[in-house]
Amino acid sequence: MTLKLYAHPFSSYCQKVLIALYENDTPFEFRMLAHDDEAATRELEALWPMKKFPVLVDGGRTVIETSIIIEHLQLHHPGPVRLVPEDSKAALEVRFMDRFFDNYISTPQQKLVFDRIREPGRRDAQGVAEAKAMLEIGYRWLDDAIEGRAWAAGDDFSLADCAAAPALFYADWSHPIDATFANVRAYRQRLLARPSFARAVDEARPYRPLFPLGAPDRD
Ligand SMILES: N[C@@H](CCC(=O)N[C@@H](CS)C(=O)NCC(=O)O)C(=O)O
């Protein structure tokens, strides 16, 4: 086995890569990043001083950033499910939607979680309000953008859906998606029914008590 993924099952960005691996049944070794495992944390830091995860090690190569990891898998370990289209124009739409989910759904969602972890006196009320406003704008924009689409960028499941699944999963827990955004809510349900994401969600169930905002009793 040449692939080793440094990850945690409850992490949204780790799930983004796990979906890609599961879609193609790609074999890999899971290197668990438990918060109390100092050895694993030191290994991660040696690979990527930013200590953001997941990180993929492929033989002698360290691959960082989830979108790049999935592009790397497509290039070096392709399977039957193509997550980045061969056609350049179609690929551009996939990459744009991938950026949308990371920047405008995951980033404000993480802000809400990280703020809650802070000591009460050090919380950032304005930043939290801005994050919620960004999520509202993101939900509204997405609701129009995916009208008539099965998946984020069209008919085919792609890199963009790998990003969307955990992003919308946790965003709805953190700042609920209003019922008026019916397309987004239906899309989130389609993602939950996708076997690759359902597997990632199931594997992460034991960690739900760790969710700082309180995991709702659903999904
Ligand atoms: N842009 C990065 C984001 C990765 C990221 O934020 N990962 C989170 C886990 S979901 C993390 O490393 N959190 C630990 C920290 O921020 O110190 C990517 O796409 O890989």
Side-chain angles (χ1 to χ4, degrees), residues 106-171:
S106 271
T107 297
Q109 187 277 326
Q110 282 188 330
K111 171 72 183 174
L112 300 185
V113 165
F114 289 142
D115 192 78
R116 183 54 68 93
I117 295 168
R118 290 183 183 179
E119 284 172 29
R122 305 189 62 137
R123 290 196 182 139
D124 169 17
Q126 184 177 340
V128 165
E130 286 168 0
K132 288 182 177 174
M134 182 179 282
L135 282 170
E136 279 299 313
I137 295 169
Y139 295 158
R140 177 163 291 116
W141 180 86
L142 181 63
D143 204 62
D144 289 339
I146 59 172
E147 171 78 41
R149 290 185 181 182
W151 300 110
D155 291 339
D156 298 321
F157 191 90
S158 72
L159 160 69
D161 302 294
C162 298
L168 290 173
F169 179 78
Y170 287 116

Side-chain angles (χ1 to χ4, degrees), residues 7-12 14-15 18 30 32-33 170 200-201 203-204 207:
H8 190 285
F10 200 48
S11 140
S12 56
C14 297
Q15 291 179 3
L18 288 171
F30 192 100
M32 178 74 171
L33 290 170
Y170 287 116
V201 167
E203 288 169 349
Y207 303 99

Side-chain angles (χ1 to χ4, degrees), residues 11-14 51-54 65-67 102 110 114:
S11 140
S12 56
Y13 280 103
C14 297
K51 290 193 275 183
K52 296 278 182 190
F53 50 91
E65 285 289 316
T66 50
S67 304
D102 279 13
Q110 282 188 330
F114 289 142

